[in-house]
Amino acid sequence: MTTFIFGEAMLEYHSHGGAGLRYGGDTLNTAIHLARAGHDVAYVTAVGTDPISDALVAAWAAEGIDTRHVLRHPDRNPGIYAIHLDEQGERSFLYWRDRSAAREMFALPGMAEALDAAAAARLVYFSLISLAIVDDAGRDALIVLAGQRKQAGNAVAYDSNFRPNLWPDHAAAAAVSQRAVHNCTIGLPTNTDERDLWGSEEGECAIASRWAAGGCDLVAVKAAEKGCVLSTSAAREPEIMAAVPTDVVDSSGAGDAFNGGFLDGWLRGKAVGECVESGQQKARETLKHRGAILL
């Protein structure tokens, strides 16, 4: 059965250069990692009808991603983001996405068919960015899909990837994220995103416990060099899983890679500790090269 991933994919420009067509986006990065691991993955987004959009869709199809639900907007094009690295390999971003085609994907012909197909998928995955870029109707449609799947006993994975400039204020983002947490079964938050989102200094164990109390059965809190905190419905207390130290060339996409590795393990039926190890290994690989995805 196919994994359905909803989100925004963009053109990538890197401050260190690099030839050829480069692309990324949090959920697309995870989709590519899962496709490269041999899973059936359908990506749901929108691009334009221009030649660059054609090239993007062809490149994703070449990765093994099912692009039948990549919708086409007649008047908009893909967004663009730029990565700048500091001396420690920590990244910062600039975005040009106000007119991104993905912002209107839920209003395009073909979205009803994508939602129907996703209802029967083995796994559905989306992020807070997926919810941020669309309008209220799109957010409701995606969260309703998640809730219906969860009620039916089907898996929904969610990452609270927080970008403040995509929201009118923190309270609006937090309210939407809380709804998503309540309707997911697998939570993949990052400690810094959660602290920024809620304006708190919560530790990783507290974050994991809050997500579990919000209704999420399995939570893996990403904490960079500190490792990961794992919470399951079967365990009384969250478990701390240390990270293996690694040199950092570029931190872009490391969290997305962790999600891909973790979900790869989950789809293969591995124990949750092995899923964390799979995610950490994929993140380490990504930290060693420039750009979110090695092309």
Side-chain angles (χ1 to χ4, degrees), residues 1-5 27-43 60-68 121-125 186 256-270 274-275 278-279 282:
M1 294 177 68
T2 302
T3 293
F4 268 70
I5 298 181
T27 54
L28 177 68
N29 299 337
T30 299
I32 290 173
H33 286 301
L34 285 174
R36 289 179 179 179
H39 298 285
D40 293 330
V41 180
Y43 194 61
W60 304 336
E63 289 281 2
I65 292 175
D66 181 350
T67 60
R68 285 177 293 179
R122 183 176 179 191
L123 173 68
V124 165
Y125 168 66
I186 301 172
D256 310 328
F258 177 94
N259 293 353
F262 186 96
L263 294 173
D264 171 35
W266 183 87
L267 288 164
R268 296 181 189 279
K270 292 184 177 180
E274 292 180 283
C275 294
S278 175
K282 188 59 64 177

Side-chain angles (χ1 to χ4, degrees), residues 86 97 185 200 295:
D86 65 19
R97 70 196 323 171
T185 63
S200 74
L295 299 178

Side-chain angles (χ1 to χ4, degrees), residues 20-82:
L21 182 72
R22 300 194 65 90
Y23 42 84
D26 65 333
T27 54
L28 177 68
N29 299 337
T30 299
I32 290 173
H33 286 301
L34 285 174
R36 289 179 179 179
H39 298 285
D40 293 330
V41 180
Y43 194 61
V44 184
T45 190
V47 294
T49 58
D50 54 280
I52 291 178
S53 292
D54 292 344
L56 288 173
V57 176
W60 304 336
E63 289 281 2
I65 292 175
D66 181 350
T67 60
R68 285 177 293 179
H69 302 290
V70 176
L71 308 179
R72 299 301 189 113
H73 196 292
D75 303 315
R76 293 193 173 200
N77 307 111
I80 303 172
Y81 72 101

Side-chain angles (χ1 to χ4, degrees), residues 98-118:
D98 290 345
R99 290 279 300 168
S100 166
R103 285 183 172 270
E104 295 192 351
M105 61 178 165
F106 281 91
L108 293 175
M111 180 52 75
E113 290 82 355
L115 290 169
D116 286 345

Side-chain angles (χ1 to χ4, degrees), residues 2-18:
T2 302
T3 293
F4 268 70
I5 298 181
F6 289 76
E8 179 187 30
M10 294 181 288
L11 293 163
E12 177 187 279
Y13 169 79
H14 204 287
S15 61
H16 284 74

Side-chain angles (χ1 to χ4, degrees), residues 186-293:
I186 301 172
L188 297 166
T190 299
N191 57 353
T192 52
D193 282 332
E194 284 293 296
R195 290 169 188 155
D196 291 346
L197 178 59
W198 292 97
S200 74
E201 293 299 326
E202 275 184 310
E204 290 77 25
C205 290
I207 293 169
S209 295
R210 175 165 53 78
W211 277 55
C216 191
D217 300 328
L218 172 59
V219 186
V221 182
K222 304 183 289 287
E225 70 279 357
K226 293 169 64 177
C228 175
V229 170
L230 182 66
S231 172
T232 68
S233 56
R236 291 185 178 181
E237 298 291 338
E239 178 184 359
I240 301 172
M241 302 188 68
V244 176
T246 188
D247 293 333
V248 177
V249 173
D250 183 351
S251 63
S252 305
D256 310 328
F258 177 94
N259 293 353
F262 186 96
L263 294 173
D264 171 35
W266 183 87
L267 288 164
R268 296 181 189 279
K270 292 184 177 180
V272 289
E274 292 180 283
C275 294
V276 171
E277 292 172 0
S278 175
Q280 290 177 333
Q281 179 181 352
K282 188 59 64 177
R284 287 195 298 272
E285 293 171 3
T286 299
L287 289 168
K288 294 177 182 177
H289 64 72
R290 290 175 178 160
I293 288 290

